[in-house]
Amino acid sequence: MQTLTITQPDDLHVHFRDGDAMKSVVPYTARQMGRALVMPNLKPPVTTVAQALEYKKQIQAATPENCAFEPLMCLYLTDKTTPEMVREAKAAGIVAFKLYPAGATTNSDSGVTDLFKLLPVLEEMAAQGILFLAHGEVTDPEIDIFDREAVFIERIMKPVLAQVPNLKVVFEHITTAEAARLVCESGDNVAATVTPQHLMYNRNHILVGGVRPHFYCLPIIKRETHRKALLDAVTGDKSHKFFLGTDSAPHPKHAKENACGCAGMFSAMTAIELYAQIFEQAGALDKLEAFASQNGARFYGLPENPRKITLVKQPQRVAESVQFGESVVVPMCAGEELAWSVISID
């Protein structure tokens, strides 16, 4: 039976929510990942060091005792963020600030309305070596939702990189050929996370045969040409610039299956198995370890995890739903069979 052993991976983009819902989902990530970068878009958002450190304590309390797991914390960038706050964050061990353009995604109402007014903040981030994480979409109502990322690149990302050339940037959950090209053509200070859904699916999965709300996420899944471009990026000559970030984003089933369903896909419970299947189908299973366990750690200036994770080519069927606080969440690939299973972490 085929086995695959790699360095324990990191999930460098995950949503844990809070309260009882958080307690339900943290163990899935903690059992697979050595570290996870936790997104700050709670209600209210995590905008201060004190809030981030308290949130970290809550996550640690929800982590199973046998898991050597470290949550990495970032702060929510707002119009009121200052250079002084950047220095305070760096001193406290906060690794990044996250850009949510106002109204772009779940709980982004407190997001940035004009990033160029925050150039002094970005310059301080570059000086401190703290990372800038970008949800790369514009939110102008006249821009087609499938074009938001490409327009963001031209209007915002390229000018910011030109004006703050030493800023260390992670273009989060990229979805387009344009984003992959930008990362590949930029300097070593620019990298990107890529989700399993954007490597597996195209927009037909959302719309053909009826609207399928559990495939709805933001940034929205794009055309097949973009999916192929992302696969080429994570397996190609510049693959060292791309790394694992699931953007696992749980929502209660009733909130997804709703007249106005919310955006997000919950992939944490089978994250590494999903990526193993993706890389195997692309004929690049030998590139999985770098993508999952090495590229991100290097970009963040972290040591590789000391433990190993072993997968076996043995089918597993994904649960139809799992507990999520007082409700349930439908996981990515619910009811489907995946080709790989985790058998050990040591």
Side-chain angles (χ1 to χ4, degrees), residues 319-331:
E320 295 283 355
S321 65
V322 295
Q323 198 66 33
F324 184 53
E326 296 181 354
S327 183
V328 296
V329 58
V330 176

Side-chain angles (χ1 to χ4, degrees), residues 36-313:
L37 184 59
V38 184
M39 293 297 107
N41 59 329
L42 305 182
K43 285 187 174 182
V46 180
T47 59
T48 70
V49 167
Q51 289 173 326
L53 296 181
E54 175 58 29
Y55 188 28
K56 182 175 183 178
K57 287 181 183 178
Q58 294 171 16
I59 294 166
Q60 290 171 324
T63 300
E65 290 184 3
N66 61 337
C67 295
F69 171 71
E70 180 186 4
L72 305 173
M73 309 309 292
C74 64
L75 295 184
Y76 190 114
L77 191 69
T78 76
D79 290 342
K80 296 181 180 179
T81 303
T82 66
E84 291 74 19
M85 293 169 70
V86 173
R87 291 190 286 272
E88 181 188 3
K90 178 67 175 180
I94 304 299
V95 301
F97 280 78
K98 175 68 186 290
L99 168 69
Y100 290 100
T105 188
T106 302
N107 299 345
S108 63
D109 294 343
S110 301
V112 172
T113 58
D114 185 350
L115 184 61
F116 295 100
K117 292 182 179 178
L118 293 177
L119 284 176
V121 174
L122 301 183
E123 289 166 354
E124 188 62 31
M125 289 168 61
Q128 294 293 330
I130 198 165
L131 277 68
F132 173 63
L133 315 181
H135 180 116
E137 293 188 288
V138 297
T139 56
D140 307 42
E142 70 272 14
I143 302 298
D144 189 292
I145 191 170
F146 290 98
D147 296 331
R148 286 180 172 185
E149 187 172 275
V151 173
F152 177 88
I153 290 170
E154 297 302 322
R155 285 188 185 177
I156 299 173
M157 185 68 92
K158 286 183 178 179
V160 164
L161 289 172
Q163 293 181 64
V164 194
N166 296 324
L167 184 64
K168 207 166 186 181
V169 178
V170 181
F171 201 160
E172 296 289 354
H173 42 51
I174 63 170
T175 67
T176 60
E178 290 89 345
R181 187 180 311 117
L182 173 77
V183 174
C184 288
E185 293 177 353
S186 296
D188 290 340
N189 61 311
V190 180
T193 56
V194 191
T195 75
Q197 61 263 30
H198 292 108
L199 291 169
M200 289 179 68
Y201 302 132
N202 62 48
R203 63 189 188 179
N204 283 355
H205 289 88
I206 311 173
L207 300 170
V208 172
V211 176
R212 302 169 72 187
H214 293 287
F215 286 84
Y216 175 52
C217 60
L218 290 172
I220 199 164
I221 296 166
K222 306 298 195 298
R223 290 179 179 271
E224 176 67 3
T225 52
H226 293 295
R227 187 191 72 84
K228 289 180 176 178
L230 297 181
L231 268 178
D232 289 344
V234 302
T235 61
D237 293 342
K238 295 293 184 71
S239 60
H240 65 282
K241 304 193 75 179
F242 301 90
F243 44 85
L244 189 158
T246 61
D247 193 20
S248 181
H251 292 280
K253 181 180 179 180
H254 64 82
K256 291 287 290 180
E257 299 174 2
N258 189 285
C260 187
C262 48
M265 297 180 72
F266 176 57
S267 57
M269 61 187 294
T270 56
I272 193 61
E273 297 99 313
L274 288 165
Y275 284 109
Q277 183 164 301
I278 291 163
F279 275 74
E280 182 184 36
Q281 290 175 350
L285 198 55
D286 60 318
K287 299 250 178 114
L288 176 63
E289 182 173 37
F291 175 83
S293 314
Q294 297 169 345
N295 298 345
R298 181 174 57 249
F299 193 78
Y300 273 84
L302 301 168
E304 292 181 17
N305 291 310
R307 302 202 296 173
K308 298 288 185 179
I309 187 169
T310 299
L311 299 92
V312 63
K313 190 72 176 294

Side-chain angles (χ1 to χ4, degrees), residues 274 277 281 314-318 333-340:
L274 288 165
Q277 183 164 301
Q281 290 175 350
Q314 177 176 300
Q316 64 163 308
R317 187 166 296 279
V318 180
C333 295
E336 298 179 25
E337 194 172 86
L338 300 182
W340 291 86

